[in-house]
Amino acid sequence: NNAIRRLLHVAVSDVNDDVRRAAVISIGFLLFNAPEQCPNVVSLLAESYNSHVRYGAALALGISCAGSGMKEALTILEPMLNDPVNYVRQGALLSTAMILVQQNEQMC
């Protein structure tokens, strides 16, 4: 998809951290109708040296996979729960909650 390609380019090349974060979060909105693709797209971004990009990757997973209980997304978010940066931890917790909403122990 051309839009995802352009957002990924901005996410890794823009000099402004806010623009990079917004680009990564926007990927989550674009993949809302195809949540199974989001973990593959943002998995490398979730390991970025830039904390704003990591935060955006966490929220992109939460937005695109909301209510799905998707294990792949939760696996990517798990190491982010112990991130040294406080807002990355917050984003990981928010996204975990969004993914697990309306799920029970049998579904996950």
Side-chain angles (χ1 to χ4, degrees), residues 11 13 24 28 39 46 49 51-52 54 78 83-84 86 104:
S13 65
V24 179
Y49 70 92
S51 58
H52 294 274
R54 292 196 307 272
E78 187 176 353
D83 198 274
N86 59 359
N104 59 33

Side-chain angles (χ1 to χ4, degrees), residues 42-101:
V42 301
S43 61
L44 290 177
L45 296 173
E47 300 171 2
S48 173
Y49 70 92
N50 188 313
S51 58
H52 294 274
V53 173
R54 292 196 307 272
Y55 176 79
L59 286 187
L61 285 168
I63 291 166
S64 67
C65 303
S68 69
M70 187 179 296
K71 292 186 187 314
E72 295 87 1
L74 294 172
T75 302
I76 294 171
L77 288 171
E78 187 176 353
M80 298 173 85
L81 296 173
N82 298 316
D83 198 274
V85 180
N86 59 359
Y87 57 86
V88 176
R89 290 192 307 270
Q90 181 183 25
L93 287 167
L94 284 168
S95 295
T96 300
M98 291 193 301
I99 292 168
L100 292 176
V101 69

